[in-house]
Amino acid sequence: MPLLPRRIMALLSRWSSRVSSVDVDGEALYFKIHGNQRIAAGKGMQRLFGNVEKDGKCYSLLVSSEDSLRSARFHWGLKDKLLRDLPPQCRLLPMSSFLPNVKDSLLRGYFLQVASPESSLTTERLLRQWLQDDDPLLVCSYSQVNKLDTPRWIQHLWNEEQNYEIALTEAPQYHPATLNLINNDVFYSFQEARDVIQKCADIIPEAASVLELLPCSGDMETRSKPDFPVIVLEGLDATGKTTLAESLRDVLGATLLRSPPQCLTPWRACFDQEPPMLRRAFYALGNYITAQQICSQTSKTPVIIDRFWHSTAAYAIATAVSGPLCDLPAEGSELYCWPTDLLQPTLVVLLTLDPEERKRRLRDRGQGETKEEQELDHNQLFRLRVEKAYKRISGPACISVDASSSAQQVLQQVLHLIKAKCQL
């Protein structure tokens, strides 16, 4: 067997301690190598392996590289490769592996349910070919055996040719994604986000153009309180942010800015097609460009901003932490804290709206939706996670305003808030 990479060797040294999670129809099923505290298999094992015929197999592919950017890009492209090349009888499910309660131990990948022996042969041949290409993959196959007339599932770890019995286990104290959010899904400093874009400049030509727009690191130090208030409007699409922002601009004689800033528009489509790590770094840097624009205006007028860091963080957290609301980071978590080097607004208004009314407004617009907005429309749980994350972010926290009233009534409510909170 060829010499294993150092990263793989480190993983294998703690393999028995790792827990795997597979997303089956929106529910996370957790399993690990069989230990003394075994949880009964029950329906969970049937859901994980039940569609596989006798002599069929399941497979797991985990992406592992010492280079986090390489891992992110490889994982992002792996799904298309699997869907394109594997037999149609192969079902693809999101998967991860992690050390419980250990930061930055998360590996992402896919779990393959292969329904028949014939499809298993084809799948295994393809996977072995890919492993020869020096891809950063950790591959396991799973097969059923009978022990004392009781079905058991065996994990065969290809990288070291070892077999382990596995069993379902309890959900961890923290959702595994929460231990991997910092500077992967949510960026808390200008330099961390810039470093990600800098690393990909050789492979993504557009990254160089983005870097040219960025302020110098020294310009991102925390600034003193601005002369005029900075008011951020947050909320899902079609809650009335644009209408309210323009009305406030006219009434207050304010400067209106939007995040991400218009200067990034030529490259948004490109980064929207990249892995979450790159996409989030791109939008995080948009906030810092907006902050620089704010600083150039607050000595002259109040500033109204259509979305800012709250949106960037709330969508990232709600996307990365799939599952029920209880899986989100708890209120007060460091994950909801404002970046120390990003200008803090004076007031953040979160416009809320009944989901059906919001959908009606979107239809009336006749505009195309972003991928995340489409997800909001058909996935109620995702929408609830976004809304909950919005409300937990501090520095400052959002103040919710019901946007179901007329535009004029909403304007008056917000003007009252501004008068009370901003001394205007």
Side-chain angles (χ1 to χ4, degrees):
M1 186 174 67
L3 185 65
L4 296 176
R6 183 177 60 183
R7 170 72 168 167
I8 298 294
M9 291 292 291
L11 287 170
L12 297 182
S13 68
R14 302 187 67 180
W15 189 248
S16 61
S17 302
R18 297 188 75 87
V19 174
S20 295
S21 170
V22 179
D23 187 344
V24 183
D25 300 324
E27 178 186 355
L29 298 178
Y30 298 92
F31 68 87
K32 63 179 297 186
I33 292 173
H34 177 24
N36 294 328
Q37 296 181 337
R38 184 171 179 232
I39 307 300
K43 295 181 180 179
M45 279 298 209
Q46 294 176 15
R47 293 186 65 196
L48 194 57
F49 299 108
N51 294 329
V52 179
E53 299 174 6
K54 186 179 180 182
D55 298 326
K57 285 187 178 181
C58 292
Y59 302 86
S60 63
L61 290 78
L62 296 168
V63 180
S64 175
S65 171
E66 292 180 345
D67 185 335
S68 58
L69 182 59
R70 185 189 181 206
S71 287
R73 286 180 62 82
F74 185 87
H75 176 259
W76 191 244
L78 182 59
K79 183 176 181 179
D80 289 339
K81 188 175 184 178
L82 293 170
L83 291 173
R84 182 186 67 239
D85 295 343
L86 292 181
Q89 298 84 359
C90 182
R91 187 185 184 201
L92 202 63
L93 301 172
M95 179 182 182
S96 63
S97 169
F98 57 94
L99 294 168
N101 307 329
V102 176
K103 288 185 177 182
D104 298 323
S105 68
L106 184 71
L107 303 179
R108 300 187 189 276
Y110 299 98
F111 190 82
L112 314 180
Q113 293 178 336
V114 187
S116 68
E118 295 78 13
S119 297
S120 292
L121 289 173
T122 303
T123 300
E124 193 152 323
R125 186 180 69 253
L126 286 170
L127 294 181
R128 291 196 182 279
Q129 288 175 357
W130 293 349
L131 277 180
Q132 293 173 5
D133 293 337
D134 194 32
D135 286 339
L137 278 177
L138 194 67
V139 180
C140 296
S141 55
Y142 303 80
S143 55
Q144 182 177 318
V145 298
N146 288 320
K147 186 184 292 186
L148 301 177
D149 297 324
T150 302
R152 304 289 195 214
W153 282 90
I154 301 299
Q155 177 192 71
H156 177 63
L157 181 58
W158 289 14
N159 299 73
E160 65 169 8
E161 298 297 331
Q162 290 288 329
N163 293 328
Y164 303 96
E165 183 178 342
I166 61 169
L168 291 189
T169 189
E170 295 173 330
Q173 179 182 2
Y174 302 106
H175 188 284
T178 64
L179 302 171
N180 202 61
L181 280 170
I182 295 178
N183 299 325
N184 283 288
D185 295 279
V186 186
F187 288 86
Y188 296 86
S189 78
F190 171 78
Q191 193 59 49
E192 291 289 350
R194 187 188 184 282
D195 285 348
V196 170
I197 302 300
Q198 179 71 59
K199 283 181 182 178
C200 69
D202 291 338
I203 51 179
I204 303 176
E206 292 83 356
S209 299
V210 173
L211 291 169
E212 290 176 0
L213 295 173
L214 299 180
C216 298
S217 300
D219 293 337
M220 288 295 102
E221 297 176 359
T222 304
R223 291 171 169 79
S224 59
K225 185 177 179 180
D227 297 332
F228 285 89
V230 177
I231 301 155
V232 175
L233 303 181
E234 292 283 4
L236 308 181
D237 277 3
T239 51
K241 293 189 305 301
T242 300
T243 300
L244 177 59
E246 292 172 351
S247 298
L248 288 173
R249 176 196 60 196
D250 296 341
V251 171
L252 300 176
T255 300
L256 175 57
L257 301 174
R258 291 183 171 85
S259 187
Q262 188 175 4
C263 63
L264 290 182
T265 300
W267 302 288
R268 285 186 67 177
C270 168
F271 282 91
D272 282 345
Q273 301 302 314
E274 291 295 328
M277 178 189 231
L278 279 170
R279 188 165 68 247
R280 302 304 181 190
F282 172 79
Y283 283 106
L285 291 174
N287 289 323
Y288 286 97
I289 294 174
T290 299
Q292 192 177 48
Q293 295 173 345
I294 294 169
C295 291
S296 69
Q297 296 296 324
T298 51
S299 62
K300 311 168 190 174
T301 67
V303 175
I304 311 296
I305 313 171
D306 187 340
R307 285 188 169 171
F308 200 37
W309 192 80
H310 284 73
S311 288
T312 309
Y315 277 88
I317 292 170
T319 301
V321 185
S322 59
L325 294 180
C326 62
D327 282 344
L328 286 173
E331 191 167 2
S333 166
E334 62 177 338
L335 298 171
Y336 298 119
C337 292
W338 193 268
T340 57
D341 61 352
L342 182 63
L343 182 142
Q344 290 191 15
T346 316
L347 173 68
V348 181
V349 176
L350 176 63
L351 298 179
T352 61
L353 196 62
D354 175 79
E356 292 305 315
E357 172 61 16
R358 196 180 73 86
K359 285 184 180 181
R360 184 193 66 77
R361 291 185 183 184
L362 280 171
R363 286 194 299 269
D364 290 347
R365 279 184 182 185
Q367 295 178 350
E369 296 177 298
T370 64
K371 183 178 180 181
E372 285 174 333
E373 282 297 327
Q374 291 171 356
E375 180 72 6
L376 285 171
D377 283 345
H378 79 260
N379 188 335
Q380 181 184 17
L381 187 55
F382 177 64
R383 176 177 56 79
L384 293 173
R385 290 199 302 269
V386 172
E387 292 175 345
K388 183 67 72 174
Y390 261 131
K391 294 175 181 178
R392 289 182 176 177
I393 294 172
S394 59
C398 297
I399 298 178
S400 297
V401 170
D402 183 358
S404 59
S405 304
S406 68
Q408 186 60 32
Q409 289 174 314
V410 173
L411 172 62
Q412 292 306 315
Q413 288 184 69
V414 175
L415 285 172
H416 180 75
L417 272 176
I418 292 171
K419 183 178 180 180
K421 302 287 184 180
C422 304
Q423 290 79 49
L424 260 185

